[in-house]
């Protein structure tokens, strides 16, 4: 019988210098070790933005990370946008803030939803997500697993266009249902400065109802632990109440009330991007970067990635069954063909001839040479005998 003992390690007081080694083991510094190792290695995060052209996707990404990833972007005309197919473009940038390095990858989907017929326009996006899962699966199953590049999509910001009915369109429902089991989808209401606060509240309620109606699983914020402080619990409640986020992006700095802020200037006033009374940009940034980035990566790895390898590699079970069957019978036994009458007659003649030759060889007395040279009378798998060899004495 074993007895489990629990010890509580504590720092020794200054008046007890002799008890330092007895009361302090040192494993309390493990978080510091993990922190130093993580900071030295750096972090990576892959964000996908999807939605129609002109909804402010590029501007919002620039506002979130204060980095211009679209310096060489070419704006297409209306005719070019109609004929354009859905593409997948990756933009990678290394960001450093207070000694912490982040490798940010933005996956853009130009051409999505711009065609006249948008049926299954999300197919290139789902194929790309599956390819990244499959590539990570191959790297993880390989021999060199030291420097694995994690290019899996950790979050997808889907921009919902403001329609006249205020409801989700078929392309919105199709896209989210095709990806909700593979990616953490965060729906956004684009260009929220076009609506008044009352209209935004009604639109959010209607979108939440339709998401539940169509069975779409968007990213769910984790529940707070009981030992969390009240400020964090209040912030979590506000995030859950604000979804889907109504956002505004801007790359312009304007002056409002004597302060320079990032916003948009209109004839009737100024819309401040970082003012929570105007939009949910600050809440989205806090959720995406400051509070839930690690949880988005954990859900991708522990939930979505664990579901997909069997779907991506459906032949794994068949390969295993084939290997098991080979273990039971490692060498297959092939049936030999039955020789006909002529072949049997030829074999008997050769056997008699070989018997006579062996008798003469026996009289030569060279047994060692006989053993090395005579391989006659052996019937092969094709029903024929090999030619005999004579002793060269």
């Amino acid at each position: 019988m074993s007895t489990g003992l629990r010890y509580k390690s504590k720092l020794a007081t200054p008046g007890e210098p002799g008890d330092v080694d007895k009361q302090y083991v040192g494993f309390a510094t493990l978080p510091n070790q993990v922190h130093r190792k993580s900071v030295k290695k750096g972090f990576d995060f892959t964000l996908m933005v999807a939605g129609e052209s002109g909804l402010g996707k590029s501007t919002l990404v620039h506002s979130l990370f204060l980095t211009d990833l679209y310096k060489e972007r070419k704006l297409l005309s209306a005719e070019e946008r109609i004929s354009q197919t859905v593409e997948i473009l990756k933009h990678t940038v290394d960001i450093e803030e207070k000694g912490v390095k982040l490798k940010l990858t933005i996956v853009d989907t130009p051409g999505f939803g711009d065609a006249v017929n948008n049926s299954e326009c999300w197919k290139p996006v789902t194929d790309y997500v599956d390819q990244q899962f499959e590539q990570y699966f191959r790297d993880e199953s390989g021999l060199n697993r030291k420097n694995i590049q994690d290019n899996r999509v950790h979050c997808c910001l889907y921009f919902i266009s403001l329609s006249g009915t205020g409801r989700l369109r078929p392309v919105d429902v199709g896209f989210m249902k095709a990806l909700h089991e593979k990616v953490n989808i965060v729906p956004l209401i684009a260009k929220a400065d076009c609506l008044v606060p009352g209209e935004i509240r009604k639109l959010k309620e209607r979108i939440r109802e339709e998401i539940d109606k169509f069975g779409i699983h968007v990213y769910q914020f984790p529940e707070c632990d009981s030992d969390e402080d009240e400020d964090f619990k209040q912030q979590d409640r506000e995030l859950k109440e604000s979804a889907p986020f109504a956002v505004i992006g801007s790359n312009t700095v304007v002056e409002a009330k004597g302060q320079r802020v990032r916003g948009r200037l209109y004839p009737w006033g100024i819309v401040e991007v970082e003012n929570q009374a105007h939009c949910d940009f600050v809440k989205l940034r806090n959720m995406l970067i400051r509070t839930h980035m690690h949880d988005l990566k954990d859900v991708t790895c522990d939930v979505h990635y664990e579901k997909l390898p069997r779907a991506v590699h459906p032949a794994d079970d068949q390969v295993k069954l084939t290997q098991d069957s080979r273990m039971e019978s490692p060498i297959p036994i092939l049936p030999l063909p039955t020789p006909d009458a002529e072949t049997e007659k030829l074999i008997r003649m050769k056997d008699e001839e070989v018997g006579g030759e062996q008798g003469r060889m026996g009289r030569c007395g060279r047994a060692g040479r006989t053993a090395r040279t005579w391989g006659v009378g052996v019937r092969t798998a094709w029903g024929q005998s090999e030619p005999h060899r004579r002793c060269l004495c």
Side-chain angles (χ1 to χ4, degrees):
M1 181 177 67
S2 62
T3 304
L5 301 178
R6 179 177 296 178
Y7 298 93
K8 185 176 181 180
S9 177
K10 63 180 181 179
L11 290 173
T13 58
E16 301 174 345
D19 296 339
V20 172
D21 296 337
K22 296 181 181 179
Q23 297 182 354
Y24 180 69
V25 178
F27 58 82
T29 61
L30 282 176
N32 298 332
Q33 300 175 31
V34 175
H35 177 265
R36 286 196 299 269
K37 184 176 180 181
S38 300
V39 170
K40 183 179 180 180
K41 183 179 179 182
F43 302 88
D44 49 17
F45 187 74
T46 302
L47 177 67
M48 174 181 285
V49 289
E52 293 182 4
S53 300
L55 294 181
K57 302 187 296 296
S58 306
T59 305
L60 181 69
V61 171
H62 180 88
S63 303
L64 284 173
F65 299 97
L66 300 179
T67 303
D68 190 5
L69 300 175
Y70 305 93
K71 296 178 181 179
E72 301 179 356
R73 184 182 58 169
K74 178 183 177 182
L75 297 178
L76 302 178
S77 61
E79 295 180 357
E80 292 175 338
R81 279 179 13 190
I82 292 175
S83 60
Q84 183 187 20
T85 57
V86 181
E87 299 181 46
I88 303 295
L89 299 180
K90 290 175 57 177
H91 306 272
T92 303
V93 62
D94 295 326
I95 305 175
E96 185 173 354
E97 184 182 47
K98 295 184 179 180
V100 179
K101 298 179 181 179
L102 174 65
K103 181 181 179 182
L104 175 65
T105 302
I106 303 296
V107 181
D108 199 359
T109 58
F112 175 82
D114 294 340
V116 177
N117 184 9
N118 291 316
S119 59
E120 295 190 357
C121 61
W122 52 83
K123 190 69 169 56
V125 182
T126 57
D127 293 341
Y128 174 81
V129 174
D130 290 338
Q131 288 172 7
Q132 302 311 310
F133 277 115
E134 187 174 358
Q135 181 63 40
Y136 189 84
F137 179 80
R138 284 198 300 264
D139 295 342
E140 196 178 37
S141 304
L143 297 178
N144 186 11
R145 297 188 295 268
K146 186 176 181 180
N147 298 318
I148 298 179
Q149 296 292 332
D150 186 7
N151 294 320
R152 297 172 295 182
V153 180
H154 302 118
C155 180
C156 176
L157 300 180
Y158 184 72
F159 288 72
I160 300 175
S161 177
L162 298 177
S163 60
T165 60
R167 299 182 179 276
L168 294 178
R169 299 171 304 162
V171 65
D172 301 331
V173 177
F175 178 88
M176 288 191 283
K177 292 195 71 173
L179 271 80
H180 67 153
E181 296 291 344
K182 303 178 181 182
V183 184
N184 297 311
I185 298 179
V186 178
L188 304 179
I189 300 175
K191 295 188 174 182
D193 50 346
C194 298
L195 302 175
V196 298
E199 293 175 337
I200 291 178
R201 285 193 298 269
K202 293 180 180 179
L203 181 60
K204 286 185 177 183
E205 294 177 0
R206 195 175 300 118
I207 291 177
R208 283 194 290 260
E209 292 175 359
E210 294 199 350
I211 286 176
D212 296 338
K213 173 184 175 182
F214 291 105
I216 300 173
H217 306 295
V218 296
Y219 174 68
Q220 299 293 327
F221 300 103
E223 297 295 334
C224 293
D225 297 331
S226 57
D227 57 347
E228 295 288 351
D229 54 1
E230 292 299 327
D231 293 339
F232 187 81
K233 292 181 180 179
Q234 178 65 24
Q235 184 181 15
D236 183 73
R237 285 193 295 267
E238 292 179 356
L239 288 177
K240 293 178 179 178
E241 294 173 357
S242 300
F245 300 101
V247 294
I248 303 171
S250 175
N251 298 332
T252 307
V253 177
V254 297
E255 186 173 351
K257 298 179 182 180
Q259 297 181 352
R260 295 179 61 84
V261 296
R262 188 179 297 271
R264 291 182 174 274
L265 180 62
Y266 292 98
W268 44 264
I270 297 176
V271 177
E272 300 178 22
V273 172
E274 298 182 353
N275 190 340
Q276 298 192 35
H278 295 178
C279 66
D280 299 328
F281 173 82
V282 175
K283 297 176 182 178
L284 173 65
R285 184 180 60 187
N286 292 339
M287 182 278 298
L288 192 62
I289 301 175
R290 301 181 182 181
T291 59
H292 290 78
M293 177 179 283
H294 200 277
D295 185 70
L296 288 168
K297 299 182 66 174
D298 288 343
V299 173
T300 301
C301 182
D302 299 337
V303 179
H304 301 307
Y305 176 65
E306 291 299 325
K307 292 180 180 178
L308 280 178
R310 286 300 168 186
V312 175
H313 300 277
D316 286 352
D317 295 334
Q318 184 65 27
V319 171
K320 184 178 179 182
L321 291 175
T322 306
Q323 292 176 350
D324 295 340
S325 63
R326 289 180 180 176
M327 291 297 295
E328 296 177 359
S329 178
I331 302 178
I333 302 175
L334 299 177
L336 294 177
T338 304
D340 53 6
E342 274 190 39
T343 306
E344 288 287 349
K345 184 178 179 181
L346 180 60
I347 292 173
R348 284 196 301 269
M349 292 174 59
K350 291 293 183 181
D351 289 342
E352 292 175 359
E353 185 179 354
V354 169
E357 294 289 341
Q358 285 181 344
R360 289 193 295 273
M361 285 298 297
R363 288 193 294 271
C364 289
R366 299 188 179 183
R369 187 167 184 175
T370 304
R372 289 194 301 271
T373 58
W374 285 100
V376 296
V378 179
R379 186 170 59 184
T380 63
W382 293 272
Q384 299 176 357
S385 59
E386 294 182 353
H388 63 279
R389 305 181 184 89
R390 293 181 179 272
C391 178
L392 302 177
C393 54

